[in-house]
Amino acid sequence: MRDCGEIVAKLRSQRLSARGAAQKMKSESILTWISCFIKLICSDISVKSGVRMLFNSIYHDLVVRAFSVRASRLLVLAMVLAAPGWGPAGGQEQSNSQLASKEVNDRVEALLKKMTLDEKIGQLAQYSAGFATGPNASHLKYDQMVANGQVGSLENVVGAEATNHYQRIAVEKSRLHIPLLFGFDVIHGDHTTFPIPLAIAASWDPGTAELVSRTSAQEARADGITLVFSPMVDIARDPRWGRIVESNGEDPYLGSVMARAWVKGYQQDDLSKPDSVAACVKHFAAYGAAIAGREYNATDMSQITLRQVYLEPYHAAVEAGAAVVMSSFNSINGIPASADPFTLTQILRKEWGFDGFVDADWGAVAELLNHGIGADGATVARKALEAGMDMDNEDGLYQSTLAEQVRSGKIPESVVDEAVRRVLRVKFALGLFDHPYAPVGPPYHVTPERRALARKVADETMVLLQNNSFEGMETLLPLSSKVRKVALIGPMADNAAGMLGAWAGKGNPKDVITLKAELEKRLGSRLLYAKGCGLLSGRDENILQSVINHTSLAGAEQMPVPDDAKTIAEAAATAQKADVAIVALGEPVWWEGEATSRVHLGFTGSQQKLLEAVVATGKPVILVVLSGRPFVLTWAVAHVPAILEAWSPGIEAGPAVADVLFGDVDPSGRLPASMPRAVGQEPLYYAQLPTGRPAHGDLSHMPYDSDQKMMSRYLDVQNSALFPFGWGLSYTHFRFSTPTVSRAEVPLKEVLADRRTVVVVGEDVTNTGSVAGTEVVQLYIRDTVASVEQPVRELKGFTRVMLAPGETKHVEFPLGFNELSFYNADMMRTVESTTYDVWVGGSSLADQETSFKVTE
Ligand code: BGC
């Protein structure tokens, strides 16, 4: 089977080597036909998809060839785009062999034949029968609707008994006995709450992401959940956008590696396993590029950027077999993503070969009215369905408008059929028709094993941003366990709910070990504590608490207004009594995640004042930042010797932070998103495109002459990040050798010929310090000359390396077509002859350099 795959890949990559659709048309078509034929006779794909590929290639061949002789290049490209199953960016792929299998599709077809139009439309409806995760919740009679076959999926139903209740109605009372899918936002753990996804990305460890999603899948499935709304793989380059917390950060390469790992853990490459769940990759597409970082805002970008940056992690997740994709709320270049045939059909289905279904985000179909692409519900529902949106979520518009439009001939029934097929495929592949119920087990509780797992994960996510010397100490951290008195200060120090993070699923604050609880255990009476202030100031803090605790807002208005000045003075007095102060600050968990855009990227309320007051005592200060996004830490960097970014670490928050503070664990997290010097730099990311006037020289002061001025820079702040992508300190030091390349020159045709490695970059990394440590070795490249400008640096490889003191390890980074290619002006993924600069090091500032050439 592998041999067959390789032959096909080879043939296909021949096709990729074409410079334009109009070129090499003859050999292209022959190759494509042959490759499809070989795929067809290989038994690992269904006849259906084989035939579809063959059809596509013939269609492509006939249509494109006919036009290539006479028509302009543009017209040819337009036809290429219009051809079913043909994408200029890579041709058709197959994403999940289970969904494409003959067995599954035969069962789908047999069932489809028995379904009435209303039953079909019922499969396309999803509702929340639990809590709401968006506005305008439906509150309908779900029991009756399920029995009538009017529901395909329910979300937010908690616990095996509750899911079984609805499942029993679906399987035993509905006419065709079609089981329901139960969806849930399992974002960073189900019951066991792990660190937020952004923190997991900071581990730069796909194994960790897989561990989290595997554990979450087991817990979710035990509750009858078969569809998890995760992973969220939106590229997030602007921390004003609160959903950066759910993302893998700014980089398409890191994001893609993590995306694959999340999907693998959920689905195990086999949806039919009793503890697999269908992964719903979200939010398709480019939701993270919301203009000005404002939630739900439009996105507008070139197609090259869309494909090369924003779509990459979704593609990786789909390639890894993700069964479901969730559409996003935003528009992309003027077309709402939830009704965009270009992304939902052309790219997702035709280019990537996605056979699963697209689920609307909460109410996204009805929101198309607000986008102004239709004057009534029927129109926007039709546009969404025809664009490739299969399942309507919560707003009931498919249910209320599609049947009539099919009956009147406005929508062909085949369009509905196709959407139903996609939904049923996932249900069959999950084995739900054979095993619809969740065995009811004992209620969940946190076992020591689960705690150990959560701690291991959290340990890996801590990013030590700064660790300066302080009064004779070479570095302030790690703290000696013999330290006499420690003052723990700040509103995050004993904030259990705040440790769980933005989307804690069924996480319970009672399971959280806070930093205060852990330090009390470690230090006993040597620990002093003062909260210092709330997370917000004045009346806002009372209101925040009433929101978090679900108590009355009116009651909050009556409560005495907190006196921050007084409590801050008390906290400073507490710090005075100690040898060292640990200050734990952040932002409210209610201010992280969906609908939490901010223009000030700093500590909320009076926390900055609290920090300044503690620093003013002259005591050594360690700042622990517990946030869901990169903050502007400019003041802290200038005044606080040690800063640890601990994110929202989950149930083992206290032990994990303490592990790093006391040096039981070497901090090995590295930033997945740049931390700015000022909010005005956003969106800030390392992989910038070059400019005609690149900034150089010392940008730390204002320009003194026009040579210093007339370049791409800010006058009042440096261009660079305060802490760049990939940054993170360890308690030891690492030395990087000059990287080597296995070959100085590679012929272009070899790179284009297949997707295998053409150059290997070698690197020796040495631990030059006196303690063991883990480094994340990172490889960056720059394509120096291309027909389309390329970023000044791009991550193309990384690996975590654990080194004993004095130890050296050799690491290698393979580079091939996947790493070296880019999208050209014709939207072809290609490589051209050029020189690649290569850097290896411990962050995006890596300075050990080499290069190699790709020659004509
Ligand atoms: C969010 C999604 C989530 C969905 C279902 C929406 O508000 O944008 O990320 O999966 O609700 O809960």
Side-chain angles (χ1 to χ4, degrees), residues 582-593:
I582 300 169
V583 183
L585 307 179
E587 62 183 340
V589 76
W590 178 244
W591 283 36
E592 283 177 12

Side-chain angles (χ1 to χ4, degrees), residues 29 103 110 230 272 356 372-373 451 457 466 482 529 605 649 690 714 842:
S29 60
E103 191 206 332
S230 172
S272 72
I373 62 153
R451 283 209 173 280
V457 172
Q466 174 158 290
K482 296 196 191 82
Y529 168 71
Y714 299 105

Side-chain angles (χ1 to χ4, degrees), residues 133 155 185 229 243 282-283 326 329 361-362 503 594:
T133 44
E155 58 185 320
D185 284 289
F229 300 133
R243 298 200 87 164
K282 63 190 191 183
H283 306 80
M326 184 183 281
F329 293 124
D361 202 343
W362 179 285
W503 215 317
E594 186 173 353

Side-chain angles (χ1 to χ4, degrees), residues 541-574:
E541 174 64 11
N542 293 344
I543 293 168
L544 175 70
Q545 291 312 321
S546 75
V547 171
I548 291 173
N549 301 325
H550 305 288
T551 52
S552 96
L553 278 182
E557 296 281 353
Q558 308 305 318
M559 285 165 67
V561 174
D563 183 349
D564 290 345
K566 181 165 165 274
T567 51
I568 287 174
E570 285 165 4
T574 304

Side-chain angles (χ1 to χ4, degrees), residues 191-335:
H191 287 280
T192 306
T193 306
F194 293 96
I196 51 173
L198 187 64
I200 293 171
S203 75
W204 292 56
D205 187 348
T208 290
E210 193 177 328
L211 203 69
V212 171
S213 56
R214 187 80 294 278
T215 309
S216 312
Q218 286 162 350
E219 293 180 3
R221 194 72 199 245
D223 278 352
I225 300 301
T226 42
L227 169 64
V228 294
F229 300 133
S230 172
M232 194 275 224
V233 302
D234 300 317
I235 291 290
R237 293 183 154 183
D238 189 339
R240 291 176 295 181
W241 189 59
R243 298 200 87 164
I244 192 172
V245 67
E246 294 171 61
S247 78
N248 292 308
E250 73 182 49
D251 187 69
Y253 184 88
L254 177 62
S256 300
V257 171
M258 295 313 246
R260 279 185 212 108
W262 281 93
V263 173
K264 180 104 196 290
Y266 287 134
Q267 298 193 169
Q268 305 179 82
D269 295 327
D270 185 355
L271 287 165
S272 72
K273 288 193 175 162
D275 60 352
S276 283
V277 291
C280 174
V281 181
K282 63 190 191 183
H283 306 80
F284 196 65
Y287 182 26
I291 292 171
R294 183 161 52 78
E295 180 66 303
Y296 312 129
N297 206 1
T299 69
D300 209 297
M301 66 178 70
S302 71
Q303 198 187 137
I304 290 185
T305 302
L306 180 68
R307 286 182 180 273
Q308 194 153 317
V309 178
Y310 285 86
L311 293 186
E312 283 288 282
Y314 308 111
H315 192 186
V318 168
E319 274 181 334
V324 183
V325 168
M326 184 183 281
S327 72
S328 54
F329 293 124
N330 56 289
S331 61
I332 310 167
N333 302 336
I335 313 288

